[in-house]
Amino acid sequence: MTDQSPRGGVSRRRLLGRAGVAAGTFAALPVLTAVTPAAADVLHEHGRPGVPHDSGEFGRLFPDLEPFAEATDKVRSALLEVGMPGGILDGGDDLAAGPTRLITDPTVNGNPTTTNPYGTNPDNPTMTAGSTFVGQFTDHDITFDQTSQLGVPQNPLVSPNTRTPALDLDSVFGGGPGHRPDLYVRNPDGSVGPKLLIGSGGVHEDVPRKPNGDGTYTALLGDPRNDENVIIAGLHSAHILFYNRVIDDLDELNLHGFPSAVSPDERRHHPYLTYLLAREITLWHYQWLLVHEHLPQICGQAVVDDVLNHRNQFYRPPAGKAFLPIEFGAAAYRFGHSMVRPSYRANFTSGTGDSTSPTANPFFALVFDVNEPDFHAPVDHDRADLLGGYPAPRRYIGWQTFFDLGDGQVKNNKKIDTTISSVLFTLPVTAIAPHTQTAPVVLAQRNLLRQLTWGLPAGQAVAAAMGVESLLPSDLTDIAGIHRAFGSSTPLWYYVLAESKVATGGLTLGPVGARIVAETLIGLLRADPTSYLSVNPRFRPFLGTDLALGSTPNPNITGNRTYTRAHFLYYAGVVKPGIYR
């Protein structure tokens, strides 16, 4: 896949790889009213529709486009049917086969067979299993809607975004020790910071937690969603440890080019300066990896290069007025839900300590397991799945499974397509973001109803606005078979998934999805005067570069291979070459 041609569209010849709603759920949803066209969102800044007054609200990329459908009960019912368990989006994974076989057994792992050349839920050879959770971690850094109701029309321009629209890791730092002192180490003299607290659920690191006295714990996080599963909690912990090590190493680092750099003496007298500098170094490594590893994997290198080398075409906020576009947050960037595997090898040693053997005692687990006791009520016990919030000795991550260390142990995520792993069709309530609507518990249905909440345009309308060729009706027969109008006016989230399967065989996003995602994330960096892309676009990561990757790196993995997430994790101390955990 290449980036869109200049207003000429993507040739059809370049498109590849054509290969009952529950009554209780329906009743739990509120009564809807007719949606107002997006163009009627009249609140804007400097005469520009779609731009909110304040960066703390959401905005629109395409304010002049009509919603894909009216928010009627008929449309809502059709969306629920599209996303229902056992429906057209359900991967039909054989969860009874168990977490190990869902990865290792070709008869149940969803990969191509002689009778099904595409497969039922195939792996993506160009991305590692960790790519999914990098996307989730990034999402939690920039967007959090806690006020809207699913399927109830709402104006994004007056709707608060709980996260800052900047890649500033406020989900980790919480605004700093002055704003969230509970996230930081309390020093003997009573001062707070600059180091962040880190916890342990047993053998290895965990997010910091506060016991509640009843066997439950409250995670101490800048964003509570970073405890939704063990993998995202592990990634959050790794960023804490990276930052804390930067603080330890500051006196030995070459700090040329960092605006926050001050002398060691100044830092000792003013500890807050240490926080600012260590945060800046951490952020620049994190931001660089997003641009040079994450975005090429999910959007394709050609799209990333085009956005970097040319001006954004669609996401162009006024200076100092960055905002999170709802087309990104509620549709395009939710592509990652299709990449989730039903199960993962969480680690290699199941709480028994480190080992030099990758087969010491591997912990395979479903993401969520409805058969686990107390599924909806967190208690202090060692669960067999990967739901977050349950610290126990074996509940940590062995990163060799999730990122390529060149030792042959890395696993892939699933392709970006219209197939969602079956584990996501019954979410535990504790995995649903706090202070948000808990019904329905089916992730696909929640995503589809959000298209009505925000009055998002049809995928075909966005493609036309971008100057790229729309999908054909034959590409959308499944969703049209449920509601005919969806075949020509398709919910944007579904369209992005279908476009990926058609345009790239599920390896990356297609033209619409890739352009929205790349322009938004790179645009947020350009809009931030403190980002590496604004201050020093020639910056290259330098912490962890002494990691020597193994002799068998996966040749299919996309993205810059000179500095990878593995190098970042190595500097954080959660990866040790030749040692499995």
Side-chain angles (χ1 to χ4, degrees):
M1 187 198 75
T2 61
D3 188 26
Q4 63 177 34
S5 306
R7 296 300 182 193
V10 174
S11 168
R12 175 58 52 178
R13 290 174 297 183
R14 303 188 70 178
L15 296 182
L16 309 174
R18 294 189 181 282
V21 181
T25 298
F26 186 88
L29 295 174
V31 176
L32 301 179
T33 57
V35 78
T36 302
D41 291 335
V42 296
L43 293 176
H44 55 85
E45 186 75 22
H46 304 305
R48 289 184 56 180
V51 178
H53 280 297
D54 189 288
S55 63
E57 276 79 46
F58 296 101
R60 293 190 187 275
L61 293 180
F62 303 100
D64 296 326
L65 298 183
E66 298 286 326
F68 78 98
E70 289 189 23
T72 65
D73 283 346
K74 181 179 179 179
V75 169
R76 180 182 65 169
S77 179
L79 291 173
L80 290 172
E81 185 176 352
V82 171
M84 72 180 183
I88 62 172
L89 284 163
D90 190 338
D93 299 302
D94 183 5
L95 302 184
T100 304
R101 288 183 61 201
L102 285 166
I103 296 174
T104 61
D105 187 344
T107 67
V108 296
N109 65 12
N111 287 316
T113 64
T114 54
T115 58
N116 188 344
Y118 185 81
T120 57
N121 193 9
D123 291 351
N124 185 342
T126 70
M127 284 190 249
T128 70
S131 304
T132 303
F133 301 95
V134 169
Q136 185 183 25
F137 184 76
T138 304
D139 177 82
H140 294 178
D141 183 24
I142 54 179
T143 177
F144 194 2
D145 163 34
Q146 291 184 288
T147 63
S148 69
Q149 290 183 289
L150 295 173
V152 177
Q154 185 160 325
N155 182 355
L157 277 66
V158 292
S159 300
N161 178 9
T162 306
R163 298 266 66 82
T164 57
L167 292 158
D168 59 0
L169 288 180
D170 67 327
S171 58
V172 174
F173 296 113
H179 186 66
R180 285 290 306 273
D182 58 316
L183 303 181
Y184 292 81
V185 171
R186 185 166 293 278
N187 303 308
D189 64 359
S191 62
V192 176
K195 282 194 172 183
L196 285 160
L197 290 168
I198 188 71
S200 173
V203 176
H204 287 294
E205 70 285 337
D206 182 29
V207 298
R209 301 180 188 277
K210 179 179 66 176
N212 297 323
D214 59 355
T216 66
Y217 295 81
T218 297
L220 299 173
L221 300 169
D223 190 304
R225 297 172 298 172
N226 281 353
D227 197 28
E228 286 179 354
N229 59 67
V230 176
I231 304 109
I232 195 70
L235 201 55
H236 185 107
S237 298
H239 282 75
I240 291 174
L241 291 172
F242 187 100
Y243 162 82
N244 283 351
R245 185 176 173 189
V246 170
I247 291 174
D248 290 336
D249 292 349
L250 274 179
D251 288 350
E252 285 74 45
L253 299 180
N254 180 357
L255 302 176
H256 178 72
F258 287 97
S260 297
V262 294
S263 70
D265 187 60
E266 287 178 286
R267 293 199 302 271
R268 278 189 286 272
H269 283 87
H270 303 285
Y272 190 72
L273 298 178
T274 297
Y275 158 76
L276 291 176
L277 178 55
R279 173 182 174 274
E280 186 170 69
I281 294 169
T282 303
L283 286 179
W284 283 18
H285 281 74
Y286 157 71
Q287 293 167 353
W288 191 94
L289 281 169
L290 286 177
V291 172
H292 295 281
E293 182 180 69
H294 183 56
L295 280 178
Q297 287 180 357
I298 62 176
C299 298
Q301 190 66 58
V303 176
V304 178
D305 288 345
D306 186 78
V307 176
L308 286 174
N309 295 330
H310 302 93
R311 195 177 182 189
N312 280 23
Q313 296 181 44
F314 305 103
Y315 179 61
R316 296 167 60 184
K321 294 288 183 180
F323 63 90
L324 204 291
I326 208 66
E327 295 91 341
F328 171 94
Y333 206 58
R334 290 179 178 265
F335 74 91
H337 295 156
S338 71
M339 303 195 311
V340 176
R341 304 188 64 91
S343 66
Y344 293 88
R345 179 180 56 192
N347 60 57
F348 299 84
T349 54
S350 292
T352 59
D354 295 336
S355 170
T356 56
S357 170
T359 59
N361 188 19
F363 175 30
F364 289 88
L366 296 175
V367 177
F368 305 127
D369 186 352
V370 296
N371 297 314
E372 270 289 295
D374 301 309
F375 185 57
H376 295 297
V379 295
D380 184 16
H381 75 278
D382 184 2
R383 294 176 62 94
D385 65 4
L386 298 177
L387 180 65
Y390 297 81
R394 68 172 175 170
R395 295 173 65 75
Y396 55 86
I397 298 302
W399 292 108
Q400 294 96 329
T401 289
F402 295 88
F403 299 104
D404 188 10
L405 271 69
D407 56 7
Q409 295 302 321
V410 70
K411 300 296 183 184
N412 301 108
N413 58 13
K414 295 297 182 179
K415 286 187 174 181
I416 308 171
D417 56 20
T418 53
T419 302
I420 312 295
S421 291
S422 298
V423 291
L424 300 181
F425 284 79
T426 311
L427 297 176
V429 171
T430 55
I432 295 174
H435 309 298
T436 62
Q437 186 176 321
T438 56
V441 296
V442 179
L443 184 58
Q445 291 179 333
R446 297 175 69 85
N447 287 341
L448 289 162
L449 289 171
R450 280 192 175 89
Q451 313 306 291
L452 288 181
T453 300
W454 302 116
L456 287 174
Q460 292 89 342
V462 175
M466 287 184 164
V468 301
E469 190 172 351
S470 297
L471 294 178
L472 297 174
S474 57
D475 300 323
L476 298 162
T477 54
D478 285 348
I479 194 169
I482 292 173
H483 187 64
R484 181 182 300 175
F486 291 167
S488 55
S489 186
T490 309
L492 183 56
W493 175 67
Y494 185 97
Y495 185 95
V496 165
L497 299 183
E499 180 194 57
S500 173
K501 183 176 181 179
V502 172
T504 76
L507 298 182
T508 70
L509 290 165
V512 167
R515 175 60 67 170
I516 291 174
V517 169
E519 284 208 8
T520 299
L521 291 179
I522 292 173
L524 291 176
L525 290 174
R526 284 175 166 155
D528 179 0
T530 69
S531 75
Y532 95 89
L533 204 56
S534 295
V535 176
N536 182 11
R538 295 180 180 271
F539 167 78
R540 293 294 180 271
F542 59 93
L543 297 177
T545 53
D546 53 327
L547 170 66
L549 296 176
S551 58
T552 57
N554 189 323
N556 297 312
I557 302 301
T558 303
N560 188 296
R561 306 298 290 157
T562 60
Y563 190 87
T564 70
R565 198 75 49 174
H567 294 89
F568 184 97
L569 296 171
Y570 170 68
Y571 183 79
V574 299
V575 160
K576 296 178 176 62
I579 302 294
Y580 297 89
R581 50 182 231 158

